[in-house]
Amino acid sequence: SWLYSGVAACLIVLAGLFLWTNLSMDPGQKLYKTYYETYPNLIAPTVRGESASNLKADAFLAYDNGDYQRAAILFENLQQEPDSDYALFYQGICQLELSRPEKAIPLFERMKENAQNPDKITANWYAALGYFQLLKLEEGKSLMAKVAAKTGHPFQPKAQEIMSKLK
């Protein structure tokens, strides 16, 4: 009977801890925690056995390895090169990973409307999540509405779900 009492006490404590952490979070932080996922490296995937070393390869290798501090610095250096719209975006993702949404949002907002990889709508998605993390729900909501309105975009269903939660 002591064993059952101990197990029951542990379950009660764990349930209380879970509820306390989830209920004490602000709505914006809950949205960020629920919907944020690191964007995959679609520009220069790391291939085993390849040893090509240049700024772009080094930046994406650091990104793929989760070294977001180093990757952010390398992506910042990459912005000087032609056809490097992606560098702003991935630097923004690195800043979100480092819990610095105040640095990430301006990077996403600087992306050109005609940026191809990744697109401006994807940047709006991550900027909105950054605003949610900063508890600026109205700013995040206005960007999330743009994502929700973009028919066929991969983030549209999640954006519509978020918009329904924010009503």
Side-chain angles (χ1 to χ4, degrees):
S1 74
W2 284 103
L3 179 63
Y4 293 119
S5 299
V7 169
C10 286
L11 288 175
I12 290 171
V13 167
L14 288 175
L17 182 62
F18 174 78
L19 289 173
W20 180 70
T21 56
N22 282 331
L23 294 177
S24 66
M25 248 192 257
D26 287 308
Q29 291 172 332
K30 281 183 190 177
L31 287 171
Y32 180 83
K33 183 180 176 187
T34 302
Y35 290 97
Y36 178 80
E37 291 179 12
T38 306
Y39 195 76
N41 169 5
L42 302 177
I43 305 297
T46 305
V47 179
R48 290 183 185 184
E50 266 188 31
S51 62
S53 181
N54 58 44
L55 188 57
K56 183 177 180 180
D58 291 345
F60 280 106
L61 180 62
Y63 184 84
D64 289 340
N65 289 332
D67 186 357
Y68 298 110
Q69 184 71 40
R70 182 170 187 270
I73 293 167
L74 294 171
F75 284 126
E76 185 174 6
N77 294 336
L78 265 172
Q79 291 174 32
Q80 312 308 320
E81 296 187 6
D83 299 324
S84 62
D85 288 338
Y86 62 86
L88 275 173
F89 177 80
Y90 282 97
Q91 185 184 5
I93 296 293
C94 289
Q95 296 301 337
L96 287 178
E97 287 289 337
L98 295 168
S99 299
R100 297 189 289 215
E102 69 283 351
K103 291 184 177 186
I105 293 166
L107 294 168
F108 294 130
E109 290 177 347
R110 282 179 38 207
M111 284 186 62
K112 300 175 190 165
E113 285 295 331
N114 61 356
Q116 293 301 313
N117 268 325
D119 58 58
K120 181 66 176 175
I121 298 298
T122 303
N124 285 341
W125 166 264
Y126 282 101
L129 291 175
Y131 277 123
F132 293 154
Q133 191 178 21
L134 291 173
L135 307 179
K136 296 182 177 183
L137 295 181
E138 287 307 312
E139 291 92 334
K141 188 176 176 181
S142 69
L143 287 175
M144 196 58 71
K146 292 178 183 179
V147 180
K150 184 67 173 179
T151 305
H153 195 277
F155 287 124
Q156 184 192 26
K158 290 180 181 181
Q160 290 173 336
E161 188 177 313
I162 290 172
M163 292 302 291
S164 69
K165 287 181 179 183
L166 291 173
K167 288 185 179 180

